[in-house]
């Protein structure tokens, strides 16, 4: 089947089959994505950065649909980092408004498709109306059996680790937790990703070869795929290439 360059992100129930070149038995269970390059995509077209972010939403919808159709268990995306507040106010405000309007518009469809939504990050500083909508979407999809869709918003790996350390310290001080019993499982249970498995594959778009404070703990053994494609251009072809790259790796987890 030939894939259209833009996968239908309308309310159709169209199902995209797994490309023949991929091995169904060796698919990653969990894919994490640093959706980067919206601004450069727009700049290359002589458009304002905001248009790049709007176009990025379409790429995200298509990617979620493909991952769901291709049997991926979880998709975790980096939408806004703890460092992104340093951008100009207009861009930050645009992004917050975009997150809210897209979530409002898409929620009923995501529910229909059995998507289980979660937001990872320190949600406190977000606008109240966005927080309310986030709470509603997490609560109303809690029992969904489809793909787990985790959106990292005001997420920072270091912040997450510090918050986990604080919570463990508080429990220890109260006498609820013996510090000598803090192991990797106990620590991981205090992270935003407590109920999630670690990503098998990390994809970063737009060619940057860095982690940018994303999932510092959870990516310990993820395979990394960097593509030069700007996020708004990410499509079935780019996802297939990332999965082929993943399937060509031999994961050793420190063994021989
Ligand atoms: C990623 O695209 C989206 C967010 C960080 C919100 P960028 O906005 O970082 O785009 P570039 O990297 O400037 O091209
Ligand atoms: C990482 O991209 C954050 C998101 C994709 C939300 P950035 O564009 O913020 O990262 P840097 O600045 O290139 O490291
Ligand atoms: Mg960027």
């Amino acid at each position: 089947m030939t894939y259209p360059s833009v996968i239908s992100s309308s309310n159709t129930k169209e199902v995209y089959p797994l490309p023949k070149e991929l091995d169904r038995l060796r698919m990653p269970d969990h894919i994490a994505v640093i959706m980067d390059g919206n601004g450069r995509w727009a700049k290359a077209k002589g458009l304002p950065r905001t248009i790049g972010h709007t176009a990025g939403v379409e790429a995200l919808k298509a990617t979620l649909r493909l991952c769901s159709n291709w049997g991926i268990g979880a998709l975790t995306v980096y939408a806004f980092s703890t460092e992104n507040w340093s951008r100009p106010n207009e861009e930050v405000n645009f992004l917050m408004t975009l997150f809210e309007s897209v979530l409002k518009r898409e929620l009923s469809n995501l529910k229909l498709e059995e998507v289980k939504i979660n937001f990872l990050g320190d949600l406190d500083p977000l606008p109240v109306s966005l927080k309310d909508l986030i709470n509603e979407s997490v609560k109303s999809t809690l029992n969904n059996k489809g793909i787990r869709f985790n959106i990292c918003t005001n997420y920072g790996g270091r912040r997450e680790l510090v918050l986990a350390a604080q919570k463990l310290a508080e429990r220890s001080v109260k006498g609820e937790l013996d510090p000598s019993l803090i192991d990797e499982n106990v620590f991981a249970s205090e992270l935003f990703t407590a109920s999630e498995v670690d990503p098998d594959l990390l994809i970063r778009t737009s060619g940057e070869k860095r982690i940018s404070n994303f999932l510092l703990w959870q990516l310990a053994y993820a395979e990394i795929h960097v593509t030069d494609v700007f996020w708004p251009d990410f499509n079935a072809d780019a996802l297939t290439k990332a999965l082929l790259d993943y399937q060509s790796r031999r994961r050793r987890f420190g063994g021989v």
Side-chain angles (χ1 to χ4, degrees):
M1 145 163 209
T2 6
Y3 283 91
S5 59
V6 175
I7 295 294
S8 163
S9 51
S10 63
N11 293 352
T12 59
K13 273 273 179 186
E14 188 143 24
V15 172
Y16 296 94
L18 189 70
K20 279 191 294 294
E21 57 266 48
L22 290 172
D23 180 350
R24 184 174 297 282
L25 300 176
R26 296 183 58 233
M27 296 291 280
D29 181 36
H30 183 180
I31 300 180
V33 186
I34 301 177
M35 309 183 288
D36 198 16
N38 293 351
R40 278 163 285 166
W41 178 91
K43 192 173 179 213
K45 292 182 150 41
L47 298 167
R49 293 176 57 84
T50 49
I51 304 287
H53 295 313
T54 307
V57 172
E58 296 311 308
L60 177 56
K61 285 171 64 181
T63 302
L64 177 64
R65 178 172 295 250
L66 289 168
C67 285
S68 168
N69 287 177
W70 293 358
I72 306 296
L75 175 68
T76 298
V77 298
Y78 208 2
F80 193 88
S81 75
T82 46
E83 288 72 36
N84 287 148
W85 295 105
S86 68
R87 295 187 178 200
N89 266 340
E90 309 83 72
E91 181 166 345
V92 170
N93 291 341
F94 179 87
L95 284 167
M96 293 301 150
T97 308
L98 181 70
F99 297 156
E100 191 173 331
S101 64
V102 169
L103 191 54
K104 203 174 277 171
R105 189 181 74 208
E106 300 297 330
L107 185 56
S108 57
N109 203 39
L110 291 165
K111 282 186 197 165
L112 274 179
E113 298 193 8
E114 281 290 315
V115 175
K116 181 172 172 166
I117 304 170
N118 202 5
F119 278 81
L120 313 181
D122 179 3
L123 305 180
D124 261 355
L126 302 180
V128 178
S129 51
L130 176 58
K131 273 193 283 194
D132 289 346
L133 192 57
I134 285 175
N135 287 334
E136 183 200 334
S137 51
V138 173
K139 227 165 82 190
S140 63
T141 64
L142 196 63
N143 296 316
N144 282 0
K145 297 286 177 277
I147 189 167
R148 304 183 303 282
F149 180 35
N150 307 310
I151 305 146
C152 297
T153 312
N154 192 27
Y155 175 89
R158 287 184 171 181
R159 170 87 51 90
E160 178 180 42
L161 294 169
V162 167
L163 289 175
Q166 277 179 4
K167 279 182 257 174
L168 292 168
E170 278 163 20
R171 281 168 57 198
S172 294
V173 166
K174 282 190 203 149
E176 294 167 7
L177 177 68
D178 175 351
S180 71
L181 295 181
I182 299 175
D183 60 9
E184 292 186 9
N185 287 328
V186 171
F187 200 95
S189 72
E190 294 293 353
L191 300 175
F192 296 126
T193 47
S195 56
E196 190 54 89
V197 296
D198 288 344
D200 303 293
L201 169 64
L202 170 70
I203 300 172
R204 181 160 188 157
T205 56
S206 87
E208 306 293 357
K209 297 179 185 70
R210 55 177 171 258
I211 298 281
S212 300
N213 205 10
F214 191 42
L215 300 175
L216 297 180
W217 172 282
Q218 298 86 344
L219 291 173
Y221 271 100
E223 297 296 327
I224 300 176
H225 173 85
V226 176
T227 170
D228 286 336
V229 168
F230 292 139
W231 177 249
D233 286 332
F234 194 83
N235 59 12
D237 184 45
L239 181 60
T240 302
K241 285 199 177 99
L243 289 165
L244 278 173
D245 189 15
Y246 173 80
Q247 293 190 340
S248 76
R249 311 279 180 89
R250 207 161 63 80
R251 303 183 76 186
R252 281 193 291 274
F253 299 100
V256 287

